[in-house]
Every structure is written in C-alpha cells, then in structure tokens.
C-alpha cells in the first residue's frame, strides 16, 4: 500500500518537533546538526552516546528520551560509519535503516537532519536517502483487521502515528528537485510490490489487466488483448498454458511515447504474468505452492516500470507487454506430450506443464518484435527454481545475446543495488531443447535448468534483436529482509530498468 507518510524538505533551522534524527560518523564524530542538538541539550546526547558505548559505526544508534532544552520528544543519533565513501546504494540503504528506526516511535512527525561532519551533502545523496526512507515505509496491510487483536502479531510497520517526515538540509530546494523523479520510482515500486503481494484469488489475469489499465491516468496508452484477439494472433503457446483455468488469459500492451516520433523505435519490456502457477497437470508439490501467487512478478515489474517512466515523464519511447495466465490442472488443461503452435509458427512439445512461463513469454516476445520492431528487448520472469540454486537470493540471473546490453544492465544493477549475474548461452545448451516430434521442447533435462529455459526464449528472438532475459525467481518474491523492504514482494527490477533507461535510452 502506498505509504501514508508524507515526505518533504526544509532548511536546517525550520521549525520542528516530535522525533529528531541526527548523525555521527565513526569515532563517534558528530555532524554539525548533531553537535547543535548536543549543545542545546547541555551535552545529554554525547552523554547518552558514552553510556551506551556508541561509536558511530554504521547501523548503530542511540535513543535519547525526553531531552532537556529542546522541543523534541526524543533524539535518535544514528551512526553512518564512513559516509565519505558512500555510494548511492549506501545512501539509499541508510534512508531505509532510518525509516525502520522511526516505526513505533509514537510521534506524528520525524525531522531528519542530513549533513556530515565535513559539511553539506550532495542533493543526489539526499534524494537517494529519501528514496530509501520511502521504500522502507511500504507495508501490505490490506487484509489485516483494522483493530489489532490482542496477542496479534504486531510488527515494525504498526506505526499509524507517523504522519510526516521532514528532511532538513542545507539546500532543500535542490534536494526537492533531485528527489522529484524518485517520487515516481516510489510509486512504481509500490505498485509492483502491491501486485506481487496480492493473493491469486483476488488477482487473476483479468484483475491484473484491470490494474494495468489504471496507468492510462499517467498517460500510458493501454491495450488489453482478450481471448479472441489472442487466438487471432495465433498465440497458441500462451493460450495453451491458460486453457486449464476458468479465468481467461490476457495480454496487456502498454505504450509510453515520452521521446515522441523523433525518439525512434521503442525499447520493449516483457513480463511473465502467471497469476498462479500450480504446475498444471505436472502438478507442483503442496509445500510452498502458495508462493506461486508471485509468479507474475516479471509482469508486475513491467507495469511498475511503465508507471514510473510515465510519472517522471521520461524522454523515452517504451512499450511494456505482459502475458497474463493462470496455470491450473483441469479437464481442459494441456497435457504433457501435447504439441502446440506458437505465434512465431514454431511448434512446441510440452514435456512438462510446469515449464509454462517460457511458453507465455515465447508469444509475448514474438509479438513485441513483430509489432514494434524494438531497438532492444528486456524480459523479466520468475522462470526457474534453478536460478536460486545457482545464485541464491542476492543476484538475478541475466542471459543475453548482446554484450553491450548485458553490460548496461549489469552496471545499472550495481548502481541501484538490484544486482545481476550473467549466465551463459550457447549452441550446446541449445541442443538440450531439440524435440523429436516438434521444433522445440519446453524442458531441457536435469542440468542447467535456468540456461535451457533461456535457450528456449532465445528461439523466439529474431536475428539482430538485442535481447536480455532476467530470471528473477530468487529476487522478486519471498524476499529476505533488507534495509529498504520488509514485505514479501520486493518490486525487483523497477529501479534497475528505470536506471537503464535513464543511463542509455532517454533523449537528452
Ligand atoms: N514459476 C516456476 C519457477 C519458480 C520456482 C519461481 C520457485 C519461483 C520460485 C516455473 O514456472 C517452474 O515451475 N519452473 C520449473 C521448470 C521445470 C519444470 C523445467 C522449475 O524451476 O522447477
Ligand atoms: Mn511452473
Ligand atoms: Zn511459473
């Protein structure tokens, strides 16, 4: 849900009450703002620091209650370690950490004083800090009863009292200006997380398409293709996956023309949107199957990204395409051994109905290339469990037919902290998916499962189209707690691809 906490910028001396947050570097070396508060409280802050052995190390903090001589109800002194060597990701994470410290503080306002021992911070650093703070404020509380039950599981996000965060800095106008695009990113990531967290009884293909339609308000052109249109296009692979479900399949096409006619061909983003993956007739085991409500995280990222690009009016021509299906076993479901024809004309032997994501993407990728002749295609999918075996939950896997595109994505990953690790493609791997009866089969055997899945996708990429596939099964859902996210869905990919666009695909 969108964070209800408003964030604004003000000067160092602007009026303030509630909770104050100030910083100290390793030593501890208090920043100017921290020293000021220490003076006003007649040394209470340094005293509290001494008592607790606070040394300014990153992640450490001191909480001073009911300080004398100031309006604040409490002062939190936060250690930053060595901020002189901070990257944008470090500032982002610090903002998240501080937002986490504010929860449950029973105060309506928090005032954060951003400076260093040496002096002022760059506007970009402040903007990253504020982005981290807003992202950490996200909660998915839609299905929690309003009045918490006794012994209910309270958590850090039960801070109904915090209404506003004010970031105090030397140049609030510059900081506010630098933060403007980040508000769009917060909204995009929030939307992606909301979609991933939503259970599948509420969010099926039609409902997902409905949520994507709301992007019209931001200026995105939306087209929803239903059953008849998909049949007409010949999307036999995508439709085969959805045929076992009572809920009809959809494809949503989103266009943002921020660079106008002169901007040329668009960059295309394609997302796997399996709103629930039971495995189909090749049914998954019961344990952990609930996680498959998040099997649309690739599509969620694409929608969140399009929202962010439109809201910050990015000077880019971009299309987003998501394939929305529910993979269910039923009397109408596809069977192992079935042969279906994809939109490209290639025939697919379905060896395992649980290898469904690649079939959905095959038709979406082909459609993207046929319809838009894009200058590059990036797809995202929670495609294989195997990518988690290889990379854990730290990196998403990237596969690409184009070194420049791969390098750009990996660099954007380093800038944003949404990290990618490249895995190989090649003719020997491609052989693994040759079929005896059809052009291709949808599984490649026991080993290198993420690679054979990527090889399958590449069969639907035209010669000369720069393409990258991001396998986000480990990074988009069932997230490990981080400084900037505590919810199940992470919104992985929105910040990454926004950065890619900003660095390489926007008209200046
Ligand atoms: N959606 C799953 C992959 C997945 C697994 C994502 C766990 C997130 C967490 C995908 O559709 C799938 O079932 N893949 C199979 C492929 C196999 C049948 C070739 C897998 O990874 O086991
Ligand atoms: Mn599956
Ligand atoms: Zn799946």
């Amino acid at each position: 849900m969108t964070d209800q906490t408003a964030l604004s910028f003000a000067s160092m001396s602007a009026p303030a009450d509630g909770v104050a947050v100030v910083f100290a570097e390793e030593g501890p070396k208090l920043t100017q703002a921290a020293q000021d508060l220490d003076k006003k409280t007649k040394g209470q802050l340094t005293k509290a620091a001494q008592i607790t052995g606070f040394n300014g190390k990153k992640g450490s903090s001191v909480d001073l209650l009911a300080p004398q001589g100031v309006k604040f109800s409490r002062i939190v002194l936060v250690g930053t370690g060595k901020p002189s060597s901070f990257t944008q990701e470090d500032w982002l994470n610090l903002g998240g950490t501080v937002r986490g410290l504010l929860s449950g503080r029973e105060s309506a306002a928090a005032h954060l004083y951003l400076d260093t021992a040496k002096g002022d911070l760059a506007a970009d650093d402040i903007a990253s800090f504020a982005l981290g703070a807003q992202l950490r404020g996200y909660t998915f509380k839609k299905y929690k009863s309003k009045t918490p039950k006794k012994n209910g599981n309270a958590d850090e996000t039960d801070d109904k009292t915090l209404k506003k965060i004010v970031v105090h800095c030397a140049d609030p106008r510059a900081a506010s200006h630098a933060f403007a695009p980040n508000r769009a990113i917060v909204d995009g990531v929030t939307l992606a997380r909301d979609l991933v967290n939503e259970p599948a009884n509420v969010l099926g293909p039609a409902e997902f398409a409905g949520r994507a339609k709301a992007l019209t308000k931001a200026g995105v052109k939306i087209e929803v293709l239903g059953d008849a249109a998909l049949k007409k296009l010949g999307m036999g692979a995508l439709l085969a996956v959805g045929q076992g479900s009572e809920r009809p399949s959809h494809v949503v096409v989103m266009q943002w023309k921020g660079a106008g006619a002169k901007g040329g061909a668009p960059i295309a983003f394609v997302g796997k949107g399996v709103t629930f993956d039971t495995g189909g007739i090749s049914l998954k085991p019961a344990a952990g199957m609930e996680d498959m409500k998040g099997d649309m995280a690739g599509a969620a990222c694409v929608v969140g990204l399009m929202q962010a690009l439109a809201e910050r009016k990015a000077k880019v021509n971009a299309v987003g395409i998501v394939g929305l299906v529910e993979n269910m076993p039923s009397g109408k479901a596809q069977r192992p051994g079935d042969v279906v024809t994809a939109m490209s004309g290639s025939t697919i032997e379905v060896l395992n109905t649980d290898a469904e994501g690649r079939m959905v993407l095959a038709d979406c990728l082909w459609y993207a290339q046929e319809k838009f002749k894009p200058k590059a295609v990036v797809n995202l999918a929670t495609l294989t469990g195997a990518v988690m075996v290889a990379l854990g939950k730290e990196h998403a896997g990237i596969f690409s037919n184009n070194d420049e595109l791969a390098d750009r994505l990996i660099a954007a990953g380093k800038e944003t902290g949404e990290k990618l690790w490249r895995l190989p493609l090649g003719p020997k791997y491609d052989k693994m998916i040759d079929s005896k009866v059809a052009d291709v089969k949808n599984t490649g055997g026991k080993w290198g499962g993420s690679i054979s899945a990527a090889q399958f996708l590449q069969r639907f990429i035209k010669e000369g189209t720069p393409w990258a596939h991001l396998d986000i099964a480990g990074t988009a859902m069932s997230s490990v707690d981080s400084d900037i996210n505590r919810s199940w869905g992470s919104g992985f990919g929105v910040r990454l691809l926004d950065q890619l666009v900003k660095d390489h695909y926007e008209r200046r």
Side-chain angles (χ1 to χ4, degrees):
M1 305 283 95
T2 310
D3 188 8
Q4 294 306 301
T5 311
L7 186 138
S8 61
F9 298 89
S11 69
M12 280 295 189
S13 58
D17 57 9
V19 177
V21 178
V22 288
F23 298 91
E25 297 172 21
E26 210 166 297
K29 211 154 65 183
L30 273 62
T31 70
Q32 197 58 55
Q35 289 177 35
D36 286 353
L37 273 187
D38 190 43
K39 249 182 233 137
K40 281 189 188 140
T41 59
K42 302 217 162 54
Q44 275 186 297
L45 197 55
T46 39
K47 192 89 177 258
Q50 273 164 19
I51 292 168
T52 57
F54 174 83
N55 54 10
K57 278 222 172 86
K58 205 169 164 182
S60 63
S61 65
V62 183
D63 202 347
L64 180 63
L65 295 180
Q68 301 277 299
V70 289
K71 272 195 185 166
F72 298 112
S73 57
R74 66 207 297 163
I75 300 173
V76 186
L77 178 63
V78 177
T80 54
K82 292 194 174 70
S84 54
S85 62
F86 269 20
T87 61
Q88 291 299 310
E89 192 197 349
D90 291 325
W91 287 111
L92 179 90
N93 287 333
L94 181 65
T97 301
V98 169
R99 179 69 184 80
L101 287 171
L102 295 176
S103 294
R105 292 289 190 239
E106 305 303 326
S107 182
H111 292 265
L112 323 183
Y113 292 86
L114 276 184
D115 60 351
T116 69
K118 286 227 183 67
D120 304 339
L121 252 69
D124 283 347
D125 297 342
I126 298 172
S128 289
F129 175 95
L131 174 62
Q134 289 298 73
L135 291 175
R136 176 67 175 268
Y138 175 90
T139 61
F140 188 73
K141 283 275 167 76
K142 196 174 166 185
Y143 300 106
K144 288 275 196 187
S145 304
K146 290 281 177 298
T147 42
K149 303 222 166 38
K150 265 210 174 135
N151 307 321
N153 48 344
D155 62 39
E156 68 159 39
T157 53
D158 286 334
D159 57 335
K160 288 166 205 72
T161 47
L162 186 64
K163 293 280 181 291
K164 68 169 185 179
I165 295 174
V166 182
V167 174
H168 294 260
C169 55
D171 190 347
R173 283 189 58 178
S176 183
H177 184 74
F179 184 64
N182 287 359
R183 290 195 192 272
I185 293 174
V186 172
D187 288 344
V189 173
T190 298
L191 174 55
R193 287 178 182 173
D194 277 348
L195 289 166
V196 174
N197 286 325
E198 193 70 73
N201 60 327
V202 175
L203 195 80
E207 292 81 13
F208 189 116
R211 300 254 188 124
K213 252 198 145 155
L215 267 62
T216 314
K217 271 184 265 145
V220 180
K221 189 179 157 202
I222 311 277
E223 204 184 338
V224 179
L225 308 175
D227 197 60
L230 300 179
K231 275 199 183 109
K232 205 164 158 201
L233 284 164
M235 291 203 186
L238 181 144
L239 286 167
V241 175
Q243 78 187 30
S245 171
E246 297 287 331
R247 302 157 109 176
S249 304
H250 296 275
V251 168
V252 181
V253 184
M254 295 159 272
Q255 287 177 259
W256 168 249
K257 292 179 190 163
K262 276 192 212 135
I267 177 167
F269 299 101
V270 178
K272 168 180 172 181
V274 177
T275 59
F276 196 79
D277 180 14
T278 64
I281 295 299
S282 313
L283 194 63
K284 285 183 182 296
M289 201 203 275
E290 66 277 10
D291 279 359
M292 288 303 110
K293 72 171 182 178
D295 208 18
M296 27 54 71
C301 170
V302 170
V303 175
L305 173 70
M306 296 303 286
Q307 164 77 41
L309 293 177
E311 196 181 320
R312 73 171 179 82
K313 302 216 168 350
K315 291 190 179 59
V316 64
N317 292 338
V319 301
I321 296 170
V322 294
L324 304 167
V325 304
E326 187 179 52
N327 188 20
M328 298 291 271
S330 82
K332 286 193 255 168
Q334 65 172 341
R335 295 149 289 261
D338 282 5
V339 175
V340 301
T341 305
M343 184 185 171
S344 72
S346 290
T347 54
I348 301 167
E349 184 187 12
V350 183
L351 287 185
N352 190 320
T353 65
D354 197 13
E356 84 297 339
R358 62 199 76 182
M359 296 176 66
V360 172
L361 286 171
D363 282 339
C364 291
L365 288 168
W366 193 259
Y367 178 83
Q369 295 166 93
E370 282 281 290
K371 173 105 194 223
F372 295 104
K373 315 258 176 289
K375 58 178 143 214
V377 178
V378 179
N379 76 254
L380 304 99
T382 48
L383 202 64
T384 64
V387 82
M388 282 186 268
V389 176
L391 301 176
K393 292 180 136 307
E394 274 304 301
H395 288 84
I398 175 172
F399 299 84
S400 183
N401 62 359
N402 183 290
D403 290 344
E404 186 183 45
L405 178 60
D407 290 344
R408 286 174 171 183
L409 279 158
I410 290 165
K414 285 181 180 152
E415 285 174 85
T416 56
E418 294 193 323
K419 297 195 244 0
L420 304 176
W421 197 264
R422 194 168 179 183
L423 295 166
L425 292 165
K428 292 264 168 68
Y429 292 116
D430 188 66
K431 264 197 134 7
M432 295 167 77
I433 52 168
D434 282 341
S435 161
K436 283 215 159 70
V437 303
D439 297 328
V440 66
K441 58 186 182 187
N442 79 333
T443 56
K446 193 169 175 189
W447 306 113
S450 300
I451 305 175
S452 52
Q455 292 292 165
F456 182 95
L457 299 182
Q458 197 179 9
R459 294 264 184 130
F460 299 87
I461 296 298
K462 297 182 182 189
E463 193 71 40
T465 304
W467 158 77
H469 152 54
L470 311 183
D471 194 334
I472 60 172
T475 53
M477 55 158 132
S478 192
S479 312
V480 280
D481 280 354
S482 78
D483 292 341
I484 58 165
N485 182 44
R486 292 294 155 106
S487 97
W488 188 78
S490 65
F492 184 95
V494 175
R495 290 186 303 112
L496 171 81
L497 296 179
D498 180 82
Q499 188 74 45
L500 175 81
V501 167
K502 186 175 152 200
D503 290 348
H504 299 288
Y505 296 93
E506 277 192 76
R507 248 178 58 192
R508 296 186 201 265

